[in-house]
Amino acid sequence: MNSLYRKDEWLIIEEEFHPGKNRESESIFSIGNGYMGQRANFEERYSGDCLRGSYVAGVYYPDKTRVGWWKNGYPEYFAKVLNAPNWIGIDITVNGKSVDLASAEIISFSRILNMKEGYLERSFRILVVQKKTIEINSRRFLSMSEPDLGIIKYSVRSIDFEGNIGFNVYVDADVKNEDANYGKKFWKEVARDVTAGSGSITARTMKTDFHVATGMCYRIKRNDAFLSVKPEVISRDKYIGNKFSLKIKPREELTVLKFVSVLSSLNIPRENLMGDVGQHAKKAEQKGYEILFSEHKKEWAKIWATSDVKIEGDIAAQQAVRFNIFQLNQTYTGRDERLNIGPKGFTGEKYGGSTYWDTEAFALPFFLKTADQNVARNLLLYRYKHLGQAINNAMKLGFRGGAALYPMVTMNGEECHNEWEITFEEIHRNGAIAYAIYNYIRHTGDKTYMPDFGLEVLIGISRFWSQRASWSEHRQKYVILGVTGPNEYENNVSNNWYTNTIAVWTMSYTLNNLEIVKKEDPDRYDEIIKKTSFDFAETKRWNDIINRIYLPYDNERKVFLQQDGFLDKELIPASLIPEEERPLNQHWSWDRILRSCFIKQADVLHGLYLFEDKYDTETLKRNFDFYEPMTVHESSLSACIHSILASRTGNIERAYELYLRTARLDLDDYNNEVGDGLHITSMAGTWLAIVEGFGGMRIADGRVQFQPLIPEKWKSYSFHARFRGVLFEIMVNHKEVIIRNLSDRMLSIVLYENKYQIPGNEERTFKIKN
């Protein structure tokens, strides 16, 4: 386990440079604003190991699939969010010699991510000519108030050195993706223009033809006074820069203020990009660093006012949950329904940056409870607008009649994942999208979403489940064969309990809403029936499957079975696995993993989490006690679900252990993979582990309900959440539960099964139930 970073309530602090862990730190200290993102690469030259990463939301490349054995139905490509033109570049020389931390003699180094105000700061001292010392300080942020802007304040201060400091302020579009399947570069230059003090460059992606323009302006200061310089103007293919040199004396400081605008053809007509990007950068320079930073901080203050979690008495837990909330809000703002959330966000290339089922299963519940309802609505609209592609995806696999299979991995609705056991078998993702519609409506009370958008999606998904289920003469039941459940350490199994359960739930939910829409909005209902060519004969089979689905169950242990053959495995606890053999996916053969009983993430338990209202506490506990000891939690999506269920069943000690694992998964690099990027979507699970786990928040019967408890180690905790337009805060300590209504409207709650109403802008105090 990695513990590089000092624990602090609002800061992530690295106090020493670790070249061997540089990629990990580049991920941890990433910044973003929903529109674009940047790994914590150095502004100046660095010849050591690093993963360069600047990303623009929605800009991708369909990299041709590379597999050894082609199967019918394979996607032609794997979509990748591209490493975009490098906008942060400021190279430094001292008397003509490059500053490079890979070879420099470092006296001190620190890197700080300020989560409260949303910026990355770095400071280091190095020995230069004749063992003299200079100090370099940089601060950068991606504006939350003007999302196309990136701002850098980069200062070189002399401690006791006298000589020349050279600067090269540049933008480099000659970048590549490390994960390119065939080593290709994906950008071509379109136009460039550079003069003294400013410049712009536009590059386009091959195949997809996205255009991205990057414009820069800069200003120079000596101490507090602005300077004029006459730079050497550099202009070559995919590169623009300004190079100049200034003298410096001991105790003097030279500062570059770099203002960058990044615009894409997703939002600006191609023919306007060069002109607009230069104007945006110039306006930013005229507004100035201090004003831009102040506006940016105000936006972060608004975010924290509705999403912060406070924990008293456990700084590791406090730092971790804020880190996760911070990264989620850096990744997605909900302003553009064409965008979604990649598992790595803007922090790395792994998984291509594409959309997975993680969004609906984990990220959407976070935004439902912390942001305006339009944010979650836009996540659902993203799927609605891809319904046609989901139907095409199903057709490629032989399904007909409007059956829809949403992709496991996508950028534009088309499946682009090429692992057989994922692409063709992990079909439970369809259920996650159906459940997300249900989750959104019960949280927001938005009755228009179902007739306007939701029902069409549900019909397509239910048609898929109807065709995917088959009748077993042997069992006299419907079965679903050849699947991979949420536990990806089992492939090509039959009757995965979770998959079968969510399939019949989806069909039942669709049937119920067909009746509701028919009654409440008959005109729209008729439109949907016509548009989808819906035939009521279909519902006969749906009902038959609902009533006669096979759900594996062990009568002896009284637990639901993960799949048909699970009891044929040697059932041993994960605690017996030698530490040096973990994580399994980095030490065991795939064959050995598949034959083992070990579970990557919640599977049966994920279904019990979603549908816990159907089961009593003893059922939840039996299944938890059976499956959790065999779970290795090698998926980032695992520990949070287990923590919530542990809280639900009263196992507060285990709930806390699992919470800390999910919360500090990246900060402590539990699975030795943070160098590839952070686990953005699973970070939502950290928040849910507190709110739904310790806070016991549920939605039922049109009310928000709570069963709060508190870990022994904590003195208190509090969180903000929303329900149907009402923002509230809950504070829990070992004696009391305090609920504060932060809105003007009445808040109706159920606390420990008792109903209460809290008027707008008032609070109530209750005794905690031990």
Side-chain angles (χ1 to χ4, degrees), residues 514-527:
L514 278 165
E515 292 300 318
I516 292 170
V517 174
K518 182 179 181 179
K519 179 181 179 181
E520 296 182 354
D521 194 344
D523 291 341
R524 176 59 182 153
Y525 175 81
D526 290 340
E527 290 177 12

Side-chain angles (χ1 to χ4, degrees), residues 656-696:
Y656 172 76
E657 292 171 357
L658 290 162
Y659 161 76
L660 210 57
R661 180 185 176 96
T662 189
R664 298 195 64 86
L665 177 74
D666 288 327
L667 286 174
D668 293 339
D669 200 6
Y670 274 92
N671 290 336
N672 300 315
E673 57 187 9
V674 168
D676 295 326
L678 305 177
H679 296 87
I680 299 298
T681 46
S682 77
M683 288 177 167
T686 299
W687 192 89
L688 292 171
I690 291 178
V691 174
E692 295 185 355
F694 303 134

Side-chain angles (χ1 to χ4, degrees), residues 94-114:
V94 177
N95 285 353
K97 183 179 179 181
S98 290
V99 171
D100 180 351
L101 287 185
S103 57
E105 192 170 344
I106 301 171
I107 299 173
S108 64
F109 177 95
S110 71
R111 187 161 25 189
I112 298 173
L113 184 67
N114 186 310

Side-chain angles (χ1 to χ4, degrees), residues 491-559:
N491 300 153
N492 198 33
V493 300
S494 294
N495 296 310
N496 170 255
W497 183 87
Y498 173 75
T499 302
N500 288 16
T501 296
I502 205 161
V504 295
W505 175 86
T506 302
M507 287 186 283
S508 179
Y509 184 58
T510 306
L511 288 170
N512 289 340
N513 280 283
L514 278 165
E515 292 300 318
I516 292 170
V517 174
K518 182 179 181 179
K519 179 181 179 181
E520 296 182 354
D521 194 344
D523 291 341
R524 176 59 182 153
Y525 175 81
D526 290 340
E527 290 177 12
I528 294 170
I529 297 303
K530 183 177 180 180
K531 184 177 180 180
T532 60
S533 302
F534 190 75
D535 184 346
F536 274 90
E538 298 179 61
T539 64
K540 181 180 179 181
R541 178 175 171 85
W542 295 7
N543 275 308
D544 201 31
I545 295 171
I546 291 167
N547 293 325
R548 296 203 281 175
I549 191 72
Y550 172 60
L551 297 171
Y553 185 77
D554 178 19
N555 286 307
E556 181 181 339
R557 296 175 178 83
K558 299 189 184 309
V559 297

Side-chain angles (χ1 to χ4, degrees), residues 9 47 62 101 112 183 208 219 229 232 251 294 315 330 333 359 380 454 523 562-563 581 653 664 670 678 682 686 756:
E9 290 187 356
S47 60
L101 287 185
I112 298 173
T208 44
R219 301 196 71 183
V229 296
E232 174 190 351
R251 295 178 297 282
S294 176
I315 195 168
Q330 285 200 130
T333 62
T359 291
L380 293 180
D523 291 341
Q562 194 161 279
Q563 47 95 358
E581 295 182 19
E653 185 176 340
R664 298 195 64 86
Y670 274 92
L678 305 177
S682 77
T686 299
Y756 302 97

